[in-house]
Every structure is written in C-alpha cells, then in structure tokens.
PDB file of all heavy atoms in Angstrom:
ATOM      1  N   ASP A   1     104.773 116.103 124.034  1.00  0.00           N
ATOM      2  CA  ASP A   1     104.678 115.302 122.814  1.00  0.00           C
ATOM      3  C   ASP A   1     105.769 114.240 122.757  1.00  0.00           C
ATOM      4  O   ASP A   1     105.779 113.404 121.845  1.00  0.00           O
ATOM      5  CB  ASP A   1     104.786 116.194 121.578  1.00  0.00           C
ATOM      6  CG  ASP A   1     103.631 117.168 121.455  1.00  0.00           C
ATOM      7  OD1 ASP A   1     102.472 116.750 121.684  1.00  0.00           O
ATOM      8  OD2 ASP A   1     103.882 118.345 121.133  1.00  0.00           O
ATOM      9  N   THR A   2     106.687 114.247 123.708  1.00  0.00           N
ATOM     10  CA  THR A   2     107.764 113.260 123.740  1.00  0.00           C
ATOM     11  C   THR A   2     107.191 111.862 123.904  1.00  0.00           C
ATOM     12  O   THR A   2     106.431 111.595 124.840  1.00  0.00           O
ATOM     13  CB  THR A   2     108.735 113.567 124.884  1.00  0.00           C
ATOM     14  OG1 THR A   2     109.385 114.817 124.622  1.00  0.00           O
ATOM     15  CG2 THR A   2     109.782 112.468 125.015  1.00  0.00           C
ATOM     16  N   ALA A   3     107.548 110.976 122.969  1.00  0.00           N
ATOM     17  CA  ALA A   3     107.013 109.609 122.973  1.00  0.00           C
ATOM     18  C   ALA A   3     107.632 108.839 121.815  1.00  0.00           C
ATOM     19  O   ALA A   3     108.298 109.424 120.952  1.00  0.00           O
ATOM     20  CB  ALA A   3     105.490 109.619 122.824  1.00  0.00           C
ATOM     21  N   VAL A   4     107.379 107.541 121.809  1.00  0.00           N
ATOM     22  CA  VAL A   4     107.642 106.740 120.613  1.00  0.00           C
ATOM     23  C   VAL A   4     106.379 106.797 119.762  1.00  0.00           C
ATOM     24  O   VAL A   4     105.277 106.529 120.259  1.00  0.00           O
ATOM     25  CB  VAL A   4     107.993 105.289 120.967  1.00  0.00           C
ATOM     26  CG1 VAL A   4     108.199 104.475 119.684  1.00  0.00           C
ATOM     27  CG2 VAL A   4     109.241 105.240 121.846  1.00  0.00           C
ATOM     28  N   TYR A   5     106.557 107.152 118.509  1.00  0.00           N
ATOM     29  CA  TYR A   5     105.430 107.284 117.587  1.00  0.00           C
ATOM     30  C   TYR A   5     105.375 106.058 116.686  1.00  0.00           C
ATOM     31  O   TYR A   5     106.382 105.678 116.076  1.00  0.00           O
ATOM     32  CB  TYR A   5     105.570 108.556 116.758  1.00  0.00           C
ATOM     33  CG  TYR A   5     105.206 109.791 117.547  1.00  0.00           C
ATOM     34  CD1 TYR A   5     106.021 110.247 118.577  1.00  0.00           C
ATOM     35  CD2 TYR A   5     104.035 110.494 117.275  1.00  0.00           C
ATOM     36  CE1 TYR A   5     105.684 111.357 119.331  1.00  0.00           C
ATOM     37  CE2 TYR A   5     103.686 111.608 118.013  1.00  0.00           C
ATOM     38  CZ  TYR A   5     104.509 112.032 119.037  1.00  0.00           C
ATOM     39  OH  TYR A   5     104.165 113.141 119.782  1.00  0.00           O
ATOM     40  N   TYR A   6     104.179 105.466 116.604  1.00  0.00           N
ATOM     41  CA  TYR A   6     103.958 104.251 115.834  1.00  0.00           C
ATOM     42  C   TYR A   6     102.970 104.505 114.704  1.00  0.00           C
ATOM     43  O   TYR A   6     101.928 105.134 114.909  1.00  0.00           O
ATOM     44  CB  TYR A   6     103.400 103.144 116.722  1.00  0.00           C
ATOM     45  CG  TYR A   6     104.317 102.685 117.823  1.00  0.00           C
ATOM     46  CD1 TYR A   6     104.267 103.280 119.078  1.00  0.00           C
ATOM     47  CD2 TYR A   6     105.230 101.657 117.609  1.00  0.00           C
ATOM     48  CE1 TYR A   6     105.105 102.862 120.102  1.00  0.00           C
ATOM     49  CE2 TYR A   6     106.072 101.232 118.629  1.00  0.00           C
ATOM     50  CZ  TYR A   6     106.003 101.836 119.866  1.00  0.00           C
ATOM     51  OH  TYR A   6     106.832 101.413 120.869  1.00  0.00           O
ATOM     52  N   CYS A   7     103.286 103.962 113.558  1.00  0.00           N
ATOM     53  CA  CYS A   7     102.371 103.939 112.424  1.00  0.00           C
ATOM     54  C   CYS A   7     101.577 102.634 112.492  1.00  0.00           C
ATOM     55  O   CYS A   7     102.124 101.593 112.872  1.00  0.00           O
ATOM     56  CB  CYS A   7     103.194 104.007 111.138  1.00  0.00           C
ATOM     57  SG  CYS A   7     102.249 103.887 109.613  1.00  0.00           S
ATOM     58  N   ALA A   8     100.301 102.696 112.122  1.00  0.00           N
ATOM     59  CA  ALA A   8      99.454 101.509 112.159  1.00  0.00           C
ATOM     60  C   ALA A   8      98.564 101.465 110.927  1.00  0.00           C
ATOM     61  O   ALA A   8      98.217 102.503 110.363  1.00  0.00           O
ATOM     62  CB  ALA A   8      98.605 101.500 113.419  1.00  0.00           C
ATOM     63  N   ALA A   9      98.192 100.244 110.537  1.00  0.00           N
ATOM     64  CA  ALA A   9      97.359 100.048 109.353  1.00  0.00           C
ATOM     65  C   ALA A   9      96.314  98.980 109.626  1.00  0.00           C
ATOM     66  O   ALA A   9      96.548  98.039 110.383  1.00  0.00           O
ATOM     67  CB  ALA A   9      98.223  99.634 108.167  1.00  0.00           C
ATOM     68  N   THR A  10      95.150  99.146 109.003  1.00  0.00           N
ATOM     69  CA  THR A  10      94.113  98.143 109.125  1.00  0.00           C
ATOM     70  C   THR A  10      93.369  97.981 107.813  1.00  0.00           C
ATOM     71  O   THR A  10      93.168  98.952 107.085  1.00  0.00           O
ATOM     72  CB  THR A  10      93.120  98.479 110.251  1.00  0.00           C
ATOM     73  OG1 THR A  10      92.134  97.431 110.335  1.00  0.00           O
ATOM     74  CG2 THR A  10      92.403  99.791 109.995  1.00  0.00           C
ATOM     75  N   ARG A  11      92.913  96.736 107.538  1.00  0.00           N
ATOM     76  CA  ARG A  11      92.051  96.459 106.394  1.00  0.00           C
ATOM     77  C   ARG A  11      90.590  96.407 106.800  1.00  0.00           C
ATOM     78  O   ARG A  11      89.731  96.123 105.981  1.00  0.00           O
ATOM     79  CB  ARG A  11      92.439  95.109 105.769  1.00  0.00           C
ATOM     80  CG  ARG A  11      93.613  95.188 104.824  1.00  0.00           C
ATOM     81  CD  ARG A  11      94.068  93.826 104.351  1.00  0.00           C
ATOM     82  NE  ARG A  11      92.983  92.962 103.925  1.00  0.00           N
ATOM     83  CZ  ARG A  11      93.165  91.723 103.443  1.00  0.00           C
ATOM     84  NH1 ARG A  11      94.387  91.256 103.344  1.00  0.00           N
ATOM     85  NH2 ARG A  11      92.155  90.978 103.088  1.00  0.00           N
ATOM     86  N   ARG A  12      90.304  96.744 108.046  1.00  0.00           N
ATOM     87  CA  ARG A  12      88.943  96.667 108.584  1.00  0.00           C
ATOM     88  C   ARG A  12      87.955  97.414 107.707  1.00  0.00           C
ATOM     89  O   ARG A  12      88.211  98.549 107.278  1.00  0.00           O
ATOM     90  CB  ARG A  12      88.933  97.243 109.999  1.00  0.00           C
ATOM     91  CG  ARG A  12      87.593  97.276 110.683  1.00  0.00           C
ATOM     92  CD  ARG A  12      87.744  97.870 112.074  1.00  0.00           C
ATOM     93  NE  ARG A  12      88.572  97.018 112.921  1.00  0.00           N
ATOM     94  CZ  ARG A  12      88.097  96.093 113.751  1.00  0.00           C
ATOM     95  NH1 ARG A  12      86.794  95.923 113.838  1.00  0.00           N
ATOM     96  NH2 ARG A  12      88.905  95.366 114.483  1.00  0.00           N
ATOM     97  N   GLY A  13      86.821  96.787 107.411  1.00  0.00           N
ATOM     98  CA  GLY A  13      85.782  97.426 106.630  1.00  0.00           C
ATOM     99  C   GLY A  13      86.201  97.622 105.187  1.00  0.00           C
ATOM    100  O   GLY A  13      87.260  97.157 104.755  1.00  0.00           O
ATOM    101  N   ASN A  14      85.383  98.330 104.427  1.00  0.00           N
ATOM    102  CA  ASN A  14      85.749  98.641 103.050  1.00  0.00           C
ATOM    103  C   ASN A  14      85.314 100.048 102.640  1.00  0.00           C
ATOM    104  O   ASN A  14      85.371 100.402 101.453  1.00  0.00           O
ATOM    105  CB  ASN A  14      85.146  97.614 102.078  1.00  0.00           C
ATOM    106  CG  ASN A  14      83.645  97.490 102.268  1.00  0.00           C
ATOM    107  OD1 ASN A  14      83.013  98.362 102.852  1.00  0.00           O
ATOM    108  ND2 ASN A  14      83.066  96.410 101.790  1.00  0.00           N
ATOM    109  N   SER A  15      84.918 100.853 103.608  1.00  0.00           N
ATOM    110  CA  SER A  15      84.501 102.214 103.301  1.00  0.00           C
ATOM    111  C   SER A  15      85.707 103.114 103.087  1.00  0.00           C
ATOM    112  O   SER A  15      86.731 102.965 103.754  1.00  0.00           O
ATOM    113  CB  SER A  15      83.653 102.759 104.447  1.00  0.00           C
ATOM    114  OG  SER A  15      83.454 104.150 104.310  1.00  0.00           O
ATOM    115  N   TYR A  16      85.562 104.066 102.165  1.00  0.00           N
ATOM    116  CA  TYR A  16      86.591 105.067 101.961  1.00  0.00           C
ATOM    117  C   TYR A  16      86.350 106.306 102.818  1.00  0.00           C
ATOM    118  O   TYR A  16      87.117 107.261 102.763  1.00  0.00           O
ATOM    119  CB  TYR A  16      86.689 105.450 100.484  1.00  0.00           C
ATOM    120  CG  TYR A  16      87.602 104.529  99.712  1.00  0.00           C
ATOM    121  CD1 TYR A  16      87.309 103.188  99.557  1.00  0.00           C
ATOM    122  CD2 TYR A  16      88.784 105.014  99.163  1.00  0.00           C
ATOM    123  CE1 TYR A  16      88.155 102.341  98.870  1.00  0.00           C
ATOM    124  CE2 TYR A  16      89.646 104.174  98.474  1.00  0.00           C
ATOM    125  CZ  TYR A  16      89.325 102.839  98.331  1.00  0.00           C
ATOM    126  OH  TYR A  16      90.183 102.006  97.663  1.00  0.00           O
ATOM    127  N   GLY A  17      85.289 106.282 103.605  1.00  0.00           N
ATOM    128  CA  GLY A  17      84.959 107.436 104.435  1.00  0.00           C
ATOM    129  C   GLY A  17      84.994 107.148 105.912  1.00  0.00           C
ATOM    130  O   GLY A  17      84.255 107.776 106.692  1.00  0.00           O
ATOM    131  N   THR A  18      85.834 106.220 106.322  1.00  0.00           N
ATOM    132  CA  THR A  18      85.887 105.798 107.720  1.00  0.00           C
ATOM    133  C   THR A  18      87.303 105.868 108.248  1.00  0.00           C
ATOM    134  O   THR A  18      88.265 105.583 107.525  1.00  0.00           O
ATOM    135  CB  THR A  18      85.372 104.350 107.851  1.00  0.00           C
ATOM    136  OG1 THR A  18      84.035 104.292 107.353  1.00  0.00           O
ATOM    137  CG2 THR A  18      85.391 103.887 109.303  1.00  0.00           C
ATOM    138  N   VAL A  19      87.430 106.251 109.526  1.00  0.00           N
ATOM    139  CA  VAL A  19      88.700 106.133 110.233  1.00  0.00           C
ATOM    140  C   VAL A  19      88.450 105.309 111.487  1.00  0.00           C
ATOM    141  O   VAL A  19      87.315 105.176 111.951  1.00  0.00           O
ATOM    142  CB  VAL A  19      89.290 107.508 110.610  1.00  0.00           C
ATOM    143  CG1 VAL A  19      89.649 108.300 109.367  1.00  0.00           C
ATOM    144  CG2 VAL A  19      88.330 108.299 111.509  1.00  0.00           C
ATOM    145  N   TYR A  20      89.512 104.756 112.028  1.00  0.00           N
ATOM    146  CA  TYR A  20      89.452 103.974 113.253  1.00  0.00           C
ATOM    147  C   TYR A  20      90.424 104.578 114.257  1.00  0.00           C
ATOM    148  O   TYR A  20      91.518 105.014 113.887  1.00  0.00           O
ATOM    149  CB  TYR A  20      89.799 102.511 112.979  1.00  0.00           C
ATOM    150  CG  TYR A  20      88.865 101.887 111.981  1.00  0.00           C
ATOM    151  CD1 TYR A  20      89.228 101.736 110.649  1.00  0.00           C
ATOM    152  CD2 TYR A  20      87.591 101.474 112.367  1.00  0.00           C
ATOM    153  CE1 TYR A  20      88.358 101.187 109.728  1.00  0.00           C
ATOM    154  CE2 TYR A  20      86.719 100.928 111.447  1.00  0.00           C
ATOM    155  CZ  TYR A  20      87.102 100.789 110.130  1.00  0.00           C
ATOM    156  OH  TYR A  20      86.234 100.254 109.223  1.00  0.00           O
ATOM    157  N   THR A  21      89.993 104.595 115.528  1.00  0.00           N
ATOM    158  CA  THR A  21      90.793 105.288 116.532  1.00  0.00           C
ATOM    159  C   THR A  21      91.217 104.410 117.694  1.00  0.00           C
ATOM    160  O   THR A  21      91.928 104.873 118.582  1.00  0.00           O
ATOM    161  CB  THR A  21      90.013 106.488 117.095  1.00  0.00           C
ATOM    162  OG1 THR A  21      88.814 106.016 117.718  1.00  0.00           O
ATOM    163  CG2 THR A  21      89.672 107.474 115.998  1.00  0.00           C
ATOM    164  N   ARG A  22      90.806 103.155 117.707  1.00  0.00           N
ATOM    165  CA  ARG A  22      91.157 102.256 118.808  1.00  0.00           C
ATOM    166  C   ARG A  22      92.347 101.395 118.428  1.00  0.00           C
ATOM    167  O   ARG A  22      92.421 100.879 117.300  1.00  0.00           O
ATOM    168  CB  ARG A  22      89.970 101.370 119.168  1.00  0.00           C
ATOM    169  CG  ARG A  22      88.746 102.121 119.632  1.00  0.00           C
ATOM    170  CD  ARG A  22      87.586 101.185 119.882  1.00  0.00           C
ATOM    171  NE  ARG A  22      86.380 101.901 120.261  1.00  0.00           N
ATOM    172  CZ  ARG A  22      85.192 101.323 120.424  1.00  0.00           C
ATOM    173  NH1 ARG A  22      85.065 100.028 120.260  1.00  0.00           N
ATOM    174  NH2 ARG A  22      84.157 102.041 120.770  1.00  0.00           N
ATOM    175  N   ARG A  23      93.231 101.203 119.360  1.00  0.00           N
ATOM    176  CA  ARG A  23      94.405 100.392 119.111  1.00  0.00           C
ATOM    177  C   ARG A  23      94.012  98.989 118.642  1.00  0.00           C
ATOM    178  O   ARG A  23      94.660  98.430 117.743  1.00  0.00           O
ATOM    179  CB  ARG A  23      95.246 100.312 120.386  1.00  0.00           C
ATOM    180  CG  ARG A  23      96.515  99.504 120.261  1.00  0.00           C
ATOM    181  CD  ARG A  23      97.276  99.518 121.563  1.00  0.00           C
ATOM    182  NE  ARG A  23      98.448  98.650 121.495  1.00  0.00           N
ATOM    183  CZ  ARG A  23      99.308  98.478 122.478  1.00  0.00           C
ATOM    184  NH1 ARG A  23      99.143  99.128 123.618  1.00  0.00           N
ATOM    185  NH2 ARG A  23     100.338  97.665 122.340  1.00  0.00           N
ATOM    186  N   SER A  24      92.944  98.435 119.210  1.00  0.00           N
ATOM    187  CA  SER A  24      92.523  97.071 118.893  1.00  0.00           C
ATOM    188  C   SER A  24      92.009  96.930 117.468  1.00  0.00           C
ATOM    189  O   SER A  24      91.856  95.814 116.970  1.00  0.00           O
ATOM    190  CB  SER A  24      91.446  96.615 119.875  1.00  0.00           C
ATOM    191  OG  SER A  24      90.303  97.447 119.782  1.00  0.00           O
ATOM    192  N   GLU A  25      91.723  98.046 116.807  1.00  0.00           N
ATOM    193  CA  GLU A  25      91.193  97.997 115.452  1.00  0.00           C
ATOM    194  C   GLU A  25      92.284  97.914 114.392  1.00  0.00           C
ATOM    195  O   GLU A  25      91.973  97.784 113.212  1.00  0.00           O
ATOM    196  CB  GLU A  25      90.313  99.229 115.210  1.00  0.00           C
ATOM    197  CG  GLU A  25      89.046  99.236 116.062  1.00  0.00           C
ATOM    198  CD  GLU A  25      88.244 100.513 115.951  1.00  0.00           C
ATOM    199  OE1 GLU A  25      88.849 101.609 116.002  1.00  0.00           O
ATOM    200  OE2 GLU A  25      87.007 100.432 115.823  1.00  0.00           O
ATOM    201  N   TYR A  26      93.524  97.990 114.810  1.00  0.00           N
ATOM    202  CA  TYR A  26      94.637  97.971 113.871  1.00  0.00           C
ATOM    203  C   TYR A  26      95.382  96.643 113.923  1.00  0.00           C
ATOM    204  O   TYR A  26      95.616  96.085 114.992  1.00  0.00           O
ATOM    205  CB  TYR A  26      95.585  99.141 114.147  1.00  0.00           C
ATOM    206  CG  TYR A  26      94.971 100.436 113.680  1.00  0.00           C
ATOM    207  CD1 TYR A  26      94.127 101.162 114.513  1.00  0.00           C
ATOM    208  CD2 TYR A  26      95.183 100.893 112.394  1.00  0.00           C
ATOM    209  CE1 TYR A  26      93.518 102.328 114.067  1.00  0.00           C
ATOM    210  CE2 TYR A  26      94.591 102.061 111.944  1.00  0.00           C
ATOM    211  CZ  TYR A  26      93.751 102.768 112.779  1.00  0.00           C
ATOM    212  OH  TYR A  26      93.148 103.909 112.325  1.00  0.00           O
ATOM    213  N   ASP A  27      95.730  96.162 112.739  1.00  0.00           N
ATOM    214  CA  ASP A  27      96.335  94.841 112.600  1.00  0.00           C
ATOM    215  C   ASP A  27      97.844  94.883 112.420  1.00  0.00           C
ATOM    216  O   ASP A  27      98.531  93.904 112.740  1.00  0.00           O
ATOM    217  CB  ASP A  27      95.731  94.126 111.379  1.00  0.00           C
ATOM    218  CG  ASP A  27      94.219  94.083 111.434  1.00  0.00           C
ATOM    219  OD1 ASP A  27      93.687  93.603 112.445  1.00  0.00           O
ATOM    220  OD2 ASP A  27      93.579  94.544 110.473  1.00  0.00           O
ATOM    221  N   TYR A  28      98.349  95.961 111.869  1.00  0.00           N
ATOM    222  CA  TYR A  28      99.762  96.030 111.507  1.00  0.00           C
ATOM    223  C   TYR A  28     100.389  97.270 112.128  1.00  0.00           C
ATOM    224  O   TYR A  28      99.784  98.348 112.117  1.00  0.00           O
ATOM    225  CB  TYR A  28      99.926  96.055 109.986  1.00  0.00           C
ATOM    226  CG  TYR A  28      99.265  94.889 109.314  1.00  0.00           C
ATOM    227  CD1 TYR A  28      98.032  95.027 108.691  1.00  0.00           C
ATOM    228  CD2 TYR A  28      99.856  93.628 109.328  1.00  0.00           C
ATOM    229  CE1 TYR A  28      97.410  93.954 108.096  1.00  0.00           C
ATOM    230  CE2 TYR A  28      99.247  92.547 108.728  1.00  0.00           C
ATOM    231  CZ  TYR A  28      98.021  92.715 108.118  1.00  0.00           C
ATOM    232  OH  TYR A  28      97.408  91.643 107.544  1.00  0.00           O
ATOM    233  N   TRP A  29     101.613  97.100 112.616  1.00  0.00           N
ATOM    234  CA  TRP A  29     102.307  98.162 113.332  1.00  0.00           C
ATOM    235  C   TRP A  29     103.756  98.261 112.859  1.00  0.00           C
ATOM    236  O   TRP A  29     104.390  97.242 112.548  1.00  0.00           O
ATOM    237  CB  TRP A  29     102.305  97.892 114.841  1.00  0.00           C
ATOM    238  CG  TRP A  29     100.935  97.923 115.429  1.00  0.00           C
ATOM    239  CD1 TRP A  29     100.027  96.897 115.469  1.00  0.00           C
ATOM    240  CD2 TRP A  29     100.300  99.049 116.041  1.00  0.00           C
ATOM    241  NE1 TRP A  29      98.874  97.327 116.069  1.00  0.00           N
ATOM    242  CE2 TRP A  29      99.008  98.625 116.438  1.00  0.00           C
ATOM    243  CE3 TRP A  29     100.689 100.363 116.294  1.00  0.00           C
ATOM    244  CZ2 TRP A  29      98.101  99.482 117.081  1.00  0.00           C
ATOM    245  CZ3 TRP A  29      99.796 101.201 116.931  1.00  0.00           C
ATOM    246  CH2 TRP A  29      98.527 100.763 117.317  1.00  0.00           C
TER     247      TRP A  29
END
C-alpha cells in the first residue's frame, strides 16, 4: 500500500448515483 495518495474531484455529469474510476475523468487533483 506504500504510495503517494492523491485526492481527485470531478464535475462530470450531474447524477448523484455515479462514480468515476479513470484518471482522465478527473479535473482537479
């Protein structure tokens, strides 16, 4: 588990029932 851990955020879509798992889908780090 040793690593640098990053938080990410995205405004993609508008559903409250969706998650995104690809790095390219996140805009802010």
Side-chain angles (χ1 to χ4, degrees):
D1 295 317
T2 295
V4 178
Y5 283 70
Y6 296 91
C7 176
T10 181
R11 278 173 46 179
R12 178 180 295 266
N14 54 18
S15 168
Y16 274 64
T18 301
V19 295
Y20 301 100
T21 61
R22 299 176 183 174
R23 181 179 175 179
S24 61
E25 293 174 315
Y26 286 87
D27 306 306
Y28 304 101
W29 295 84

